[in-house]
Amino acid sequence: MLGADIGVYALARAFHEEYGVRSIVVSGAALGPVAHSRIVENVLVADGHDPRQLVDALLHIARDPAHASARLVLLANSDWLVRVVVQHRDELEPFYVVPFLSEELLDRISDKATFAEIATGLGISVPRTIVQDFAGAGDAGWAPVPVDIAYPLIAKAASSADYQDVEFAGKKKVFEIATPAELDALWDSLRAAGFSGRFVVQDLVPGDDTQMRSITAYVDSRGELTLLCSAHVLLEEHTPSGLGNPAAMVVTRIDPMLEQARRFLTATGYVGFANFDVKVDPRDGSFRFFEVNPRIGRNNYYVTAAGANVARFVVGDRVEGRAVEPVVVDREVLYSILPHRLLLRYVLDPALAGRVSALIRAKAVAHPLRYRADSGPRRRWYVTAAFVNQVRKFRRYYPRATGTGF
């Protein structure tokens, strides 16, 4: 596995739960989620942002005689690392199962502007979108296209891979823009930073974090959709670097939304894991699809916790070479990386808060880092520290309240 975040650890945990294997994690640093783990072997490279170093490390691992009899599966869980794998497929596939889509399809669906075009053509709802292209931003006569979407609005990079290494003061994953002056300032910052990709400006769909939904899917090598799972987001992260990442969700089967995801994946010829971000528009009840991530997603453990261990689908398909029986997950589980009292502070709807409290009382709760089989002293200390840090982060970046928590 490439990467070292909580999503990579969740994948390693899924493989360990299902098959009892340790995963090799290749990264530039053994970050907290994968550090001091009994189920992970960390392989470090000098520069974790250098694709050549990552690929060379993978080839070195594959050629190790200790792995001669193994069938190696290669996974990555960030957009740019997926791109590294796909672009070096010819080098890696002689040694690894590479369960990812083609580079041509990756380019199309990873771009939020192109995604919006494809989804609209399939009758799938998306927010109204205007594309700002910075390809010629270095030219003296360049000017941004006019934006006639009502404020406040949302602005974000069309391709996170293009945005990965761009640095400027105030950089965020997603910008909520209140005025034309703020938007002009963002354009100036991107231009000065040398950004040459595309940004999308979109209608701000109203509603708080509880209007968000998540979908995780797997399409096998035969083109069959063998896994579908949806979740109702309760609270997202609100730090500048983590904005938009779910921090707590309830696994909930939402068939009308899942059918739209099925339509998209089937029509595009998608292969591998996919993760959709969706928001319920309170103005008309429609599901507004924001994007599809060409990977399983940072919070993938909600699927495994609900009884559909994600490792099963890729191993059954690509290692065992069999057709896995399709699964649509319908077991309700609370997935959360937050202390329960902190979470309930932000769930303001009484009915939803009651549902969350009932799952807590029933112990139908999952935290990806809390794994009994991997609970050495340093691991326990890290999980406890991460809990405390969540309280600090929410107090600093999202201090409003208040539901029934502290």
Side-chain angles (χ1 to χ4, degrees), residues 6 11-12 20 26 73 97 121 141 216 222 239 316 322 334 397 399 402:
I6 193 171
L11 273 173
V26 180
V73 178
V97 171
T216 298
R222 302 166 180 81
T239 60
R322 59 184 177 84
L334 171 63
Y397 292 106
T402 180

Side-chain angles (χ1 to χ4, degrees), residues 92-306:
L92 296 167
E93 274 196 323
F95 306 98
Y96 290 94
V97 171
V98 182
F100 292 102
L101 66 176
S102 68
E103 186 173 2
E104 182 273 333
L105 183 56
L106 175 63
D107 288 339
R108 290 177 61 213
I109 62 96
S110 293
D111 186 291
K112 295 175 181 63
T114 307
F115 170 80
E117 294 170 1
I118 296 171
T120 300
L122 294 170
I124 298 170
S125 296
V126 297
R128 184 175 171 230
T129 302
I130 293 175
V131 180
Q132 192 67 260
D133 194 340
F134 284 79
D139 300 340
W142 181 87
V145 300
V147 172
D148 62 354
I149 296 175
Y151 291 85
L153 51 77
I154 295 296
K156 54 190 175 183
S159 169
S160 59
D162 291 343
Y163 191 54
Q164 176 80 19
D165 296 322
V166 177
E167 298 296 337
F168 59 92
K171 178 181 176 180
K172 298 178 183 179
K173 180 182 176 182
V174 179
F175 295 85
E176 185 172 328
I177 306 294
T179 66
E182 283 188 22
L183 187 61
D184 289 341
L186 174 59
W187 296 159
D188 289 343
S189 294
L190 289 164
R191 190 180 186 188
F195 180 69
S196 59
R198 299 195 295 174
F199 245 67
V200 293
V201 178
Q202 293 183 321
D203 175 36
L204 174 60
V205 179
D208 65 9
D209 294 354
T210 61
Q211 297 296 119
M212 293 299 300
R213 305 291 184 268
S214 178
I215 301 172
T216 298
Y218 182 76
V219 183
D220 72 12
S221 55
R222 302 166 180 81
E224 294 295 322
L225 213 168
T226 54
L227 171 65
L228 273 174
C229 184
S230 56
H232 182 154
V233 176
L234 302 170
L235 186 60
E236 297 181 332
E237 295 185 39
H238 286 263
T239 60
S241 61
L243 190 65
N245 290 324
M249 299 182 279
V250 173
V251 177
T252 306
R253 179 169 174 169
I254 310 170
D255 285 329
M257 183 178 71
L258 292 174
E259 284 308 308
Q260 293 185 63
R262 182 189 298 275
R263 191 187 317 158
F264 181 93
L265 295 168
T266 301
T268 57
Y270 196 96
V271 173
F273 285 111
N275 176 243
F276 293 86
D277 293 333
V278 186
K279 190 170 187 178
V280 177
D281 191 331
R283 296 168 294 191
D284 59 10
S286 64
F287 297 105
R288 302 284 183 182
F289 278 66
F290 288 173
E291 63 182 334
V292 59
N293 299 301
R295 50 190 169 82
I296 195 169
R298 174 183 175 90
N299 296 287
N300 64 83
Y301 194 73
Y302 77 85
V303 185
T304 298

